[in-house]
Amino acid sequence: MFLAMRELWFARTRFLLMGAVVALISILMVILSGLSSGLVVDGVSALQRTPVQAFAFAEGTKADSAFSRSVVTEDQADTWRARPDVARAELFGNTIVNAKTESGVPVDLTLFGIRPGSFLEPSVSEGAPLGGDTDVVLSDSARATGVELGDTIVVDRLGTRLDVVGFTSDKRTFGHVDVAYLPLSTWQEIHAGVRLGEQVPPSAYTEASVVAIEGVDGGALPDLTAGDAAAGTTAKILEESFDSSPGYSAEMMTMSMITAFLYAISALVVGAFFTIWTVQRSREIAVLRAMGASTGFLLRDALLQAVIVLVGSVAVGVLVGLGLGSGLEGSGMPFVLESGPVARGAVLLVVLGLLGAALAVVRIVRVDPLAALGENR
């Protein structure tokens, strides 16, 4: 009895080879999980850390790169502020620019225009919060580009000078570019394309990319449909606005497709292995049935064999993958290990592999016990 359990030892070479394949798939799962999480963080971490429930875009704005296409006004922001289910609403600017420090270091920045002192202003880990019109607070990750506290950044083509007065306590990026928080009025001048010393059109100071909305009662989601009808906007909840980051949707769809094929391959590989294995041991199974072992017992015994192989192999693969992944974090590659996605991926690999094995061991039901008694001799 317990044939499947004993086979794990007597046919250990074959099971170790199978386990090695599953472990390699698990390592790849961890790496893909880290890349997916890293792309999310690198693409929209600044939006993730913005304390809003929704953004109101200009009506009819296309979803992709919506922040750069959308233009809303102060009147629309006032309409949102007047709603009873909105605690606060502020104009919010979003523009990607090329710039250089005075020492010539090139810097790509996503400018977030906010009102100093508003609920949109981030906490500062070093330096000071926004004060003057030319002050700018950079993402902590911008230090890696060579920018330091006290540096002056000059925006290309416009010549606008921005003084680095602080850094955030965490990484904040948008569209794979470090974020710089600056006063809304200065952002409006840059967005209007006003060069240093030129006259600023009065209308420029009434516009921004979107209206950032915070709900009442601890951030409850406002009635976006009613708000859009009143303000003439198209509001999206925070998570939906991630698609407005350049390339975000395409990156996520690509990673999802690769991951889906990985899971399908895992199930097929495990199913194929146990199908061949079941065929090879059909005579032993027939002997057990002839001795009185029930079909249910044999199925449970075979599935337990698959569970041991899968759980052990996935556990080893995840541990190796975490070790490799820890070396990739902070290497410049958009790679972030998160326990949730890795754990879900490991469970899914085991479940799908077990489904593939279950389809294979169903063959046990069709094994004729008379074959063990010399029926075909």
Side-chain angles (χ1 to χ4, degrees), residues 308-329:
I308 293 173
V309 173
L310 288 168
V311 172
S313 303
V314 169
V316 171
V318 168
L319 290 175
V320 174
L322 291 175
L324 293 174
S326 62
L328 295 175
E329 288 187 302

Side-chain angles (χ1 to χ4, degrees), residues 189-325:
E189 294 170 3
I190 294 173
H191 183 256
V194 177
R195 297 178 181 272
L196 188 65
E198 291 182 348
Q199 184 69 29
V200 182
S203 60
Y205 293 115
T206 66
E207 298 177 342
S209 301
V210 294
V211 180
I213 303 166
E214 182 185 39
V216 298
D217 298 329
L221 184 66
D223 186 346
L224 300 183
T225 303
D228 283 337
T233 56
T234 300
K236 296 181 180 182
I237 63 174
L238 180 61
E239 290 74 15
E240 290 177 347
S241 70
F242 295 168
D243 291 340
S244 302
S245 174
Y248 179 83
S249 297
E251 291 170 351
M252 291 302 101
M253 285 190 292
T254 300
M255 295 306 298
S256 297
M257 180 71 73
I258 294 173
T259 304
F261 273 108
L262 177 68
Y263 291 137
I265 290 169
S266 175
L268 289 173
V269 168
V270 175
F273 172 81
F274 280 101
T275 297
I276 296 172
W277 184 245
T278 303
V279 171
Q280 291 178 342
R281 60 199 285 263
S282 296
R283 193 165 188 79
E284 288 80 0
I285 294 171
V287 170
L288 289 177
R289 291 200 61 187
M291 292 171 61
S294 66
T295 300
F297 173 84
L298 293 173
L299 287 173
R300 289 192 299 272
D301 194 35
L303 287 176
L304 179 59
Q305 184 184 72
V307 168
I308 293 173
V309 173
L310 288 168
V311 172
S313 303
V314 169
V316 171
V318 168
L319 290 175
V320 174
L322 291 175
L324 293 174

Side-chain angles (χ1 to χ4, degrees), residues 30-40 252 255 333-336:
V30 174
I31 300 302
L32 288 177
S33 175
L35 286 173
S36 296
S37 298
L39 287 172
V40 171
M252 291 302 101
M255 295 306 298
M333 180 186 299
F335 190 92
V336 176

Side-chain angles (χ1 to χ4, degrees), residues 13-375:
T13 302
R14 276 178 279 189
F15 281 105
L16 284 173
L17 288 173
M18 180 59 200
V21 172
V22 176
L24 289 173
I25 293 175
S26 302
I27 294 172
L28 185 56
M29 179 275 296
V30 174
I31 300 302
L32 288 177
S33 175
L35 286 173
S36 296
S37 298
L39 287 172
V40 171
V41 169
D42 214 46
V44 295
S45 60
L47 293 183
Q48 288 177 320
R49 297 178 172 94
T50 301
V52 301
Q53 278 65 57
F55 288 109
F57 295 82
E59 191 171 21
T61 303
K62 292 180 64 177
D64 58 315
S65 301
F67 282 101
S68 61
R69 293 190 174 98
S70 174
V71 176
V72 296
T73 64
E74 187 69 53
D75 290 338
Q76 290 173 308
D78 288 336
T79 302
W80 277 103
R81 292 189 192 103
R83 295 196 54 78
D85 54 356
V86 174
R88 289 177 289 190
E90 291 284 351
L91 287 179
F92 177 81
N94 184 320
T95 302
I96 298 177
V97 299
N98 302 118
K100 291 180 180 178
T101 64
E102 285 189 315
S103 59
V105 177
V107 184
D108 295 328
L109 295 172
T110 298
L111 303 181
F112 276 10
I114 60 174
R115 296 189 193 277
S118 70
F119 72 101
L120 298 174
E121 186 170 2
S123 59
V124 177
S125 64
E126 182 183 354
L130 297 177
D133 291 340
T134 61
D135 288 353
V136 64
V137 172
L138 299 184
S139 164
D140 182 68
S141 55
R143 301 174 192 266
T145 63
V147 181
E148 299 178 356
L149 197 66
D151 283 353
T152 298
I153 297 174
V154 182
V155 179
D156 288 354
R157 297 187 302 278
L158 302 181
T160 306
R161 300 171 67 85
L162 304 172
D163 301 317
V164 180
V165 298
F167 288 96
T168 63
S169 58
D170 47 22
K171 177 179 179 177
R172 300 193 178 211
T173 52
F174 178 84
H176 306 291
V177 178
D178 291 317
V179 164
Y181 294 86
L182 73 166
L184 180 62
S185 58
T186 306
W187 178 90
Q188 290 167 329
E189 294 170 3
I190 294 173
H191 183 256
V194 177
R195 297 178 181 272
L196 188 65
E198 291 182 348
Q199 184 69 29
V200 182
S203 60
Y205 293 115
T206 66
E207 298 177 342
S209 301
V210 294
V211 180
I213 303 166
E214 182 185 39
V216 298
D217 298 329
L221 184 66
D223 186 346
L224 300 183
T225 303
D228 283 337
T233 56
T234 300
K236 296 181 180 182
I237 63 174
L238 180 61
E239 290 74 15
E240 290 177 347
S241 70
F242 295 168
D243 291 340
S244 302
S245 174
Y248 179 83
S249 297
E251 291 170 351
M252 291 302 101
M253 285 190 292
T254 300
M255 295 306 298
S256 297
M257 180 71 73
I258 294 173
T259 304
F261 273 108
L262 177 68
Y263 291 137
I265 290 169
S266 175
L268 289 173
V269 168
V270 175
F273 172 81
F274 280 101
T275 297
I276 296 172
W277 184 245
T278 303
V279 171
Q280 291 178 342
R281 60 199 285 263
S282 296
R283 193 165 188 79
E284 288 80 0
I285 294 171
V287 170
L288 289 177
R289 291 200 61 187
M291 292 171 61
S294 66
T295 300
F297 173 84
L298 293 173
L299 287 173
R300 289 192 299 272
D301 194 35
L303 287 176
L304 179 59
Q305 184 184 72
V307 168
I308 293 173
V309 173
L310 288 168
V311 172
S313 303
V314 169
V316 171
V318 168
L319 290 175
V320 174
L322 291 175
L324 293 174
S326 62
L328 295 175
E329 288 187 302
S331 63
M333 180 186 299
F335 190 92
V336 176
L337 286 174
E338 296 181 344
S339 58
V342 172
R344 287 193 295 271
V347 170
L348 197 54
L349 281 178
V350 172
V351 171
L352 291 176
L354 194 56
L355 287 175
L359 294 175
V361 300
V362 166
R363 184 184 179 90
I364 292 173
V365 178
R366 297 195 296 271
V367 173
D368 185 3
L370 292 178
L373 303 178
E375 175 197 46

